[in-house]
Amino acid sequence: MKADSLFQEKKYRESAETYNNAFNDNSGVGYLPDRYMAASAWAMASEADSAFYHLFRIIDRVKYDELDKVLSDSTLKNLWSDPRWTKAIKLIKSNKETKEANYNRHLIAILDSVFANDQKYRLTVHDTISRYGVNSPQVSEMNRLIIGIDSANIHIVTAILDTFGWPGPDIIAEHGNTIFLVLQHSDIATQLKYLPLMRDAVKRDAAERSSLALLEDRVALGQGHCQIFGSQIGFDEKSNSYYVLPLFDPAHVDERRKEVGLGSLQEYVDFWKITWDHVRYRKQLRKLVGKKSLKKYDCFL
């Protein structure tokens, strides 16, 4: 967005005016992140009245509650000495307290621990593979530790789901993603059992569509179907390279990803140094996986 670029170039007034023009062209409507950036731009341009206009708009209309972010945001420093700043902070704090009134702190603490354990070794496994090789003792030991942690986490998370259903953000804040991660790392039987629960959670905005898409891919592959969104990646030891596991209708994958809030497949696979070309993909996949192995996937029959 042009206004973002202008802000990064420290052309704060031009950035702020560009945001305002965009809002005016959209009948005065603007997304929360854009309103916040407009407030920041006007603040950096030393235009307190305009900055507070946008800030109070998101406080009043969408009940903005990110207190820690506002208090630590140096782009708003020109507002700190203004009497309206104290009022804004009080309102944001009130919004935060209202939002968190029904939080289950016990569940949140449990899921905090689950998330930390889930990511403990996964954050370094890619580097370990690069350094020692996929079949190295170091990677084998890391996988053993990950399997043990996953087993414990699955027990915890399924107990929560069996007791509470899929808790929404009004109960566990953003920790619904932790539940999803644990299911992602569970066996196919567990995924199949709780997939309908996550689908229902998405319908009532208690879980993310993008996360559901990833779980749908895992379940599809686990059942011998092709994945839909291209989220699952394989590793070929002969070429020492990664590839996208069997994918349905590769030519239109980006359209499907966009519908569920995911970026393009190329953006996603950049991490694995994969160049995505749907025209060459099927031919490359047959070479990597082998025609015989591909026969088990229904979309390659």
PDB file of all heavy atoms in Angstrom, residues 245-265:
ATOM      1  N   LEU A 245       4.174 -32.043  -1.521  1.00  0.00           N
ATOM      2  CA  LEU A 245       3.565 -33.367  -1.593  1.00  0.00           C
ATOM      3  C   LEU A 245       2.329 -33.337  -2.504  1.00  0.00           C
ATOM      4  O   LEU A 245       1.808 -32.256  -2.821  1.00  0.00           O
ATOM      5  CB  LEU A 245       3.197 -33.836  -0.185  1.00  0.00           C
ATOM      6  CG  LEU A 245       4.402 -34.216   0.696  1.00  0.00           C
ATOM      7  CD1 LEU A 245       3.959 -34.405   2.149  1.00  0.00           C
ATOM      8  CD2 LEU A 245       5.088 -35.474   0.183  1.00  0.00           C
ATOM      9  N   PRO A 246       1.884 -34.511  -3.001  1.00  0.00           N
ATOM     10  CA  PRO A 246       0.808 -34.579  -3.995  1.00  0.00           C
ATOM     11  C   PRO A 246      -0.329 -33.593  -3.760  1.00  0.00           C
ATOM     12  O   PRO A 246      -0.954 -33.569  -2.701  1.00  0.00           O
ATOM     13  CB  PRO A 246       0.336 -36.042  -3.884  1.00  0.00           C
ATOM     14  CG  PRO A 246       1.598 -36.767  -3.530  1.00  0.00           C
ATOM     15  CD  PRO A 246       2.332 -35.840  -2.594  1.00  0.00           C
ATOM     16  N   LEU A 247      -0.603 -32.810  -4.786  1.00  0.00           N
ATOM     17  CA  LEU A 247      -1.514 -31.671  -4.695  1.00  0.00           C
ATOM     18  C   LEU A 247      -2.580 -31.732  -5.776  1.00  0.00           C
ATOM     19  O   LEU A 247      -2.270 -31.908  -6.959  1.00  0.00           O
ATOM     20  CB  LEU A 247      -0.705 -30.371  -4.827  1.00  0.00           C
ATOM     21  CG  LEU A 247      -1.472 -29.054  -4.935  1.00  0.00           C
ATOM     22  CD1 LEU A 247      -2.226 -28.762  -3.645  1.00  0.00           C
ATOM     23  CD2 LEU A 247      -0.507 -27.909  -5.243  1.00  0.00           C
ATOM     24  N   PHE A 248      -3.811 -31.547  -5.381  1.00  0.00           N
ATOM     25  CA  PHE A 248      -4.932 -31.519  -6.313  1.00  0.00           C
ATOM     26  C   PHE A 248      -4.940 -30.219  -7.112  1.00  0.00           C
ATOM     27  O   PHE A 248      -4.735 -29.134  -6.565  1.00  0.00           O
ATOM     28  CB  PHE A 248      -6.242 -31.660  -5.527  1.00  0.00           C
ATOM     29  CG  PHE A 248      -7.477 -31.411  -6.340  1.00  0.00           C
ATOM     30  CD1 PHE A 248      -7.955 -32.374  -7.216  1.00  0.00           C
ATOM     31  CD2 PHE A 248      -8.152 -30.201  -6.239  1.00  0.00           C
ATOM     32  CE1 PHE A 248      -9.093 -32.156  -7.978  1.00  0.00           C
ATOM     33  CE2 PHE A 248      -9.290 -29.959  -6.995  1.00  0.00           C
ATOM     34  CZ  PHE A 248      -9.762 -30.942  -7.867  1.00  0.00           C
ATOM     35  N   ASP A 249      -5.157 -30.308  -8.416  1.00  0.00           N
ATOM     36  CA  ASP A 249      -5.338 -29.141  -9.292  1.00  0.00           C
ATOM     37  C   ASP A 249      -4.299 -28.050  -9.001  1.00  0.00           C
ATOM     38  O   ASP A 249      -4.649 -26.947  -8.564  1.00  0.00           O
ATOM     39  CB  ASP A 249      -6.747 -28.588  -9.109  1.00  0.00           C
ATOM     40  CG  ASP A 249      -7.081 -27.500 -10.121  1.00  0.00           C
ATOM     41  OD1 ASP A 249      -6.376 -27.385 -11.139  1.00  0.00           O
ATOM     42  OD2 ASP A 249      -8.033 -26.738  -9.860  1.00  0.00           O
ATOM     43  N   PRO A 250      -3.017 -28.345  -9.250  1.00  0.00           N
ATOM     44  CA  PRO A 250      -1.943 -27.394  -8.918  1.00  0.00           C
ATOM     45  C   PRO A 250      -2.112 -26.009  -9.552  1.00  0.00           C
ATOM     46  O   PRO A 250      -1.699 -25.008  -8.965  1.00  0.00           O
ATOM     47  CB  PRO A 250      -0.682 -28.082  -9.457  1.00  0.00           C
ATOM     48  CG  PRO A 250      -1.040 -29.532  -9.519  1.00  0.00           C
ATOM     49  CD  PRO A 250      -2.496 -29.573  -9.861  1.00  0.00           C
ATOM     50  N   ALA A 251      -2.722 -25.958 -10.728  1.00  0.00           N
ATOM     51  CA  ALA A 251      -2.843 -24.685 -11.447  1.00  0.00           C
ATOM     52  C   ALA A 251      -3.667 -23.655 -10.689  1.00  0.00           C
ATOM     53  O   ALA A 251      -3.475 -22.451 -10.867  1.00  0.00           O
ATOM     54  CB  ALA A 251      -3.448 -24.922 -12.832  1.00  0.00           C
ATOM     55  N   HIS A 252      -4.579 -24.109  -9.831  1.00  0.00           N
ATOM     56  CA  HIS A 252      -5.477 -23.173  -9.155  1.00  0.00           C
ATOM     57  C   HIS A 252      -5.282 -23.151  -7.638  1.00  0.00           C
ATOM     58  O   HIS A 252      -6.165 -22.714  -6.905  1.00  0.00           O
ATOM     59  CB  HIS A 252      -6.940 -23.521  -9.485  1.00  0.00           C
ATOM     60  CG  HIS A 252      -7.247 -23.423 -10.953  1.00  0.00           C
ATOM     61  ND1 HIS A 252      -7.271 -24.528 -11.775  1.00  0.00           N
ATOM     62  CD2 HIS A 252      -7.515 -22.349 -11.732  1.00  0.00           C
ATOM     63  CE1 HIS A 252      -7.555 -24.141 -13.012  1.00  0.00           C
ATOM     64  NE2 HIS A 252      -7.702 -22.834 -13.016  1.00  0.00           N
ATOM     65  N   VAL A 253      -4.133 -23.615  -7.182  1.00  0.00           N
ATOM     66  CA  VAL A 253      -3.896 -23.688  -5.738  1.00  0.00           C
ATOM     67  C   VAL A 253      -3.907 -22.309  -5.081  1.00  0.00           C
ATOM     68  O   VAL A 253      -4.413 -22.151  -3.962  1.00  0.00           O
ATOM     69  CB  VAL A 253      -2.579 -24.429  -5.424  1.00  0.00           C
ATOM     70  CG1 VAL A 253      -1.370 -23.684  -6.001  1.00  0.00           C
ATOM     71  CG2 VAL A 253      -2.420 -24.632  -3.926  1.00  0.00           C
ATOM     72  N   ASP A 254      -3.379 -21.292  -5.754  1.00  0.00           N
ATOM     73  CA  ASP A 254      -3.333 -19.966  -5.145  1.00  0.00           C
ATOM     74  C   ASP A 254      -4.727 -19.386  -4.937  1.00  0.00           C
ATOM     75  O   ASP A 254      -4.964 -18.635  -3.982  1.00  0.00           O
ATOM     76  CB  ASP A 254      -2.478 -19.010  -5.989  1.00  0.00           C
ATOM     77  CG  ASP A 254      -0.989 -19.213  -5.768  1.00  0.00           C
ATOM     78  OD1 ASP A 254      -0.626 -19.868  -4.771  1.00  0.00           O
ATOM     79  OD2 ASP A 254      -0.191 -18.727  -6.581  1.00  0.00           O
ATOM     80  N   GLU A 255      -5.655 -19.737  -5.820  1.00  0.00           N
ATOM     81  CA  GLU A 255      -7.037 -19.269  -5.659  1.00  0.00           C
ATOM     82  C   GLU A 255      -7.642 -19.879  -4.397  1.00  0.00           C
ATOM     83  O   GLU A 255      -8.334 -19.194  -3.630  1.00  0.00           O
ATOM     84  CB  GLU A 255      -7.861 -19.644  -6.892  1.00  0.00           C
ATOM     85  CG  GLU A 255      -7.396 -18.955  -8.173  1.00  0.00           C
ATOM     86  CD  GLU A 255      -8.087 -19.505  -9.396  1.00  0.00           C
ATOM     87  OE1 GLU A 255      -9.204 -20.063  -9.268  1.00  0.00           O
ATOM     88  OE2 GLU A 255      -7.513 -19.406 -10.499  1.00  0.00           O
ATOM     89  N   ARG A 256      -7.384 -21.157  -4.201  1.00  0.00           N
ATOM     90  CA  ARG A 256      -7.915 -21.827  -3.012  1.00  0.00           C
ATOM     91  C   ARG A 256      -7.261 -21.292  -1.741  1.00  0.00           C
ATOM     92  O   ARG A 256      -7.925 -21.106  -0.715  1.00  0.00           O
ATOM     93  CB  ARG A 256      -7.698 -23.339  -3.119  1.00  0.00           C
ATOM     94  CG  ARG A 256      -8.408 -23.980  -4.300  1.00  0.00           C
ATOM     95  CD  ARG A 256      -8.407 -25.497  -4.213  1.00  0.00           C
ATOM     96  NE  ARG A 256      -7.073 -26.080  -4.264  1.00  0.00           N
ATOM     97  CZ  ARG A 256      -6.428 -26.384  -5.389  1.00  0.00           C
ATOM     98  NH1 ARG A 256      -6.992 -26.131  -6.566  1.00  0.00           N
ATOM     99  NH2 ARG A 256      -5.222 -26.945  -5.341  1.00  0.00           N
ATOM    100  N   ARG A 257      -5.950 -21.045  -1.810  1.00  0.00           N
ATOM    101  CA  ARG A 257      -5.239 -20.526  -0.645  1.00  0.00           C
ATOM    102  C   ARG A 257      -5.766 -19.138  -0.269  1.00  0.00           C
ATOM    103  O   ARG A 257      -5.932 -18.813   0.910  1.00  0.00           O
ATOM    104  CB  ARG A 257      -3.726 -20.457  -0.927  1.00  0.00           C
ATOM    105  CG  ARG A 257      -3.066 -21.826  -0.996  1.00  0.00           C
ATOM    106  CD  ARG A 257      -1.591 -21.716  -1.372  1.00  0.00           C
ATOM    107  NE  ARG A 257      -0.825 -21.028  -0.344  1.00  0.00           N
ATOM    108  CZ  ARG A 257      -0.279 -21.617   0.707  1.00  0.00           C
ATOM    109  NH1 ARG A 257      -0.408 -22.923   0.884  1.00  0.00           N
ATOM    110  NH2 ARG A 257       0.411 -20.919   1.592  1.00  0.00           N
ATOM    111  N   LYS A 258      -6.037 -18.322  -1.253  1.00  0.00           N
ATOM    112  CA  LYS A 258      -6.538 -16.975  -0.996  1.00  0.00           C
ATOM    113  C   LYS A 258      -7.892 -17.018  -0.295  1.00  0.00           C
ATOM    114  O   LYS A 258      -8.174 -16.211   0.604  1.00  0.00           O
ATOM    115  CB  LYS A 258      -6.655 -16.192  -2.303  1.00  0.00           C
ATOM    116  CG  LYS A 258      -7.060 -14.735  -2.117  1.00  0.00           C
ATOM    117  CD  LYS A 258      -7.068 -13.994  -3.451  1.00  0.00           C
ATOM    118  CE  LYS A 258      -7.449 -12.529  -3.250  1.00  0.00           C
ATOM    119  NZ  LYS A 258      -7.471 -11.795  -4.552  1.00  0.00           N
ATOM    120  N   GLU A 259      -8.719 -17.966  -0.668  1.00  0.00           N
ATOM    121  CA  GLU A 259     -10.059 -18.080  -0.086  1.00  0.00           C
ATOM    122  C   GLU A 259     -10.020 -18.364   1.415  1.00  0.00           C
ATOM    123  O   GLU A 259     -10.939 -18.003   2.135  1.00  0.00           O
ATOM    124  CB  GLU A 259     -10.851 -19.189  -0.793  1.00  0.00           C
ATOM    125  CG  GLU A 259     -11.291 -18.825  -2.206  1.00  0.00           C
ATOM    126  CD  GLU A 259     -12.004 -19.977  -2.889  1.00  0.00           C
ATOM    127  OE1 GLU A 259     -12.100 -21.063  -2.263  1.00  0.00           O
ATOM    128  OE2 GLU A 259     -12.456 -19.799  -4.028  1.00  0.00           O
ATOM    129  N   VAL A 260      -8.949 -19.001   1.871  1.00  0.00           N
ATOM    130  CA  VAL A 260      -8.861 -19.338   3.300  1.00  0.00           C
ATOM    131  C   VAL A 260      -7.853 -18.463   4.047  1.00  0.00           C
ATOM    132  O   VAL A 260      -7.494 -18.737   5.188  1.00  0.00           O
ATOM    133  CB  VAL A 260      -8.494 -20.834   3.493  1.00  0.00           C
ATOM    134  CG1 VAL A 260      -9.595 -21.717   2.940  1.00  0.00           C
ATOM    135  CG2 VAL A 260      -7.145 -21.167   2.859  1.00  0.00           C
ATOM    136  N   GLY A 261      -7.397 -17.397   3.382  1.00  0.00           N
ATOM    137  CA  GLY A 261      -6.525 -16.451   4.068  1.00  0.00           C
ATOM    138  C   GLY A 261      -5.053 -16.811   4.050  1.00  0.00           C
ATOM    139  O   GLY A 261      -4.277 -16.309   4.882  1.00  0.00           O
ATOM    140  N   LEU A 262      -4.638 -17.649   3.114  1.00  0.00           N
ATOM    141  CA  LEU A 262      -3.225 -17.996   2.977  1.00  0.00           C
ATOM    142  C   LEU A 262      -2.604 -17.216   1.823  1.00  0.00           C
ATOM    143  O   LEU A 262      -3.269 -16.902   0.831  1.00  0.00           O
ATOM    144  CB  LEU A 262      -3.066 -19.499   2.708  1.00  0.00           C
ATOM    145  CG  LEU A 262      -3.477 -20.444   3.838  1.00  0.00           C
ATOM    146  CD1 LEU A 262      -3.503 -21.881   3.328  1.00  0.00           C
ATOM    147  CD2 LEU A 262      -2.532 -20.319   5.026  1.00  0.00           C
ATOM    148  N   GLY A 263      -1.304 -16.916   1.947  1.00  0.00           N
ATOM    149  CA  GLY A 263      -0.581 -16.253   0.870  1.00  0.00           C
ATOM    150  C   GLY A 263      -0.328 -17.221  -0.282  1.00  0.00           C
ATOM    151  O   GLY A 263      -0.722 -18.387  -0.239  1.00  0.00           O
ATOM    152  N   SER A 264       0.342 -16.751  -1.305  1.00  0.00           N
ATOM    153  CA  SER A 264       0.607 -17.591  -2.466  1.00  0.00           C
ATOM    154  C   SER A 264       1.482 -18.778  -2.081  1.00  0.00           C
ATOM    155  O   SER A 264       2.240 -18.733  -1.103  1.00  0.00           O
ATOM    156  CB  SER A 264       1.299 -16.786  -3.567  1.00  0.00           C
ATOM    157  OG  SER A 264       2.648 -16.504  -3.211  1.00  0.00           O
ATOM    158  N   LEU A 265       1.404 -19.838  -2.876  1.00  0.00           N
ATOM    159  CA  LEU A 265       2.212 -21.024  -2.586  1.00  0.00           C
ATOM    160  C   LEU A 265       3.697 -20.715  -2.718  1.00  0.00           C
ATOM    161  O   LEU A 265       4.508 -21.231  -1.948  1.00  0.00           O
ATOM    162  CB  LEU A 265       1.816 -22.171  -3.509  1.00  0.00           C
ATOM    163  CG  LEU A 265       2.457 -23.522  -3.188  1.00  0.00           C
ATOM    164  CD1 LEU A 265       2.192 -23.933  -1.748  1.00  0.00           C
ATOM    165  CD2 LEU A 265       1.969 -24.597  -4.144  1.00  0.00           C
TER     166      LEU A 265
END
